[in-house]
Amino acid sequence: MGTTRSDAERDAITVEIGFAVVTGMLAAGLVFGVVAGAAWYFGLPEVFIRVGAVAGALAFVARAVQVLWRFPRRRSSREPDMPGQPSQPGLTSPDS
């Protein structure tokens, strides 16, 4: 059974998904524009425009996955705390 998320966590996830979609669309448009523009400029067969569309779709998926994969996941209660993390940031031990 999952735990409930705070409003801040839901907002952060929403913003991250929006960022992934927008940057994915920009990457897809750029890749498609380069491939289809080159095909149009050099008078290449129409198959290159379809290749550009497929390459653009792959660029969208790759960028969205890249952004979302790097988003920090919430740790479960079963995972141990990270070693070496001070309980009170900014405080050092006397022998340091």
Side-chain angles (χ1 to χ4, degrees), residues 32 35-36 39 44-54:
F32 175 75
V35 175
L44 298 174
E46 190 165 321
V47 71
F48 286 97
I49 294 175
R50 293 176 193 214
V51 168
V54 170

Side-chain angles (χ1 to χ4, degrees), residues 7-33:
D7 287 342
E9 288 173 321
R10 284 193 301 261
D11 290 346
I13 292 169
T14 301
V15 168
E16 199 68 18
I17 290 170
F19 179 74
V21 169
V22 169
T23 59
M25 288 174 24
L26 290 172
L30 181 67
V31 169
F32 175 75

Side-chain angles (χ1 to χ4, degrees), residues 42-88:
F42 293 113
L44 298 174
E46 190 165 321
V47 71
F48 286 97
I49 294 175
R50 293 176 193 214
V51 168
V54 170
L58 290 175
F60 173 83
V61 170
R63 178 61 183 162
V65 166
Q66 177 191 23
V67 168
L68 295 176
W69 192 265
R70 297 173 78 187
F71 186 69
R73 292 171 190 79
R74 186 169 61 170
R75 292 188 343 209
S76 70
S77 60
R78 291 182 286 165
E79 293 182 27
D81 288 338
M82 298 296 291
Q85 295 292 325
S87 59
Q88 295 177 335

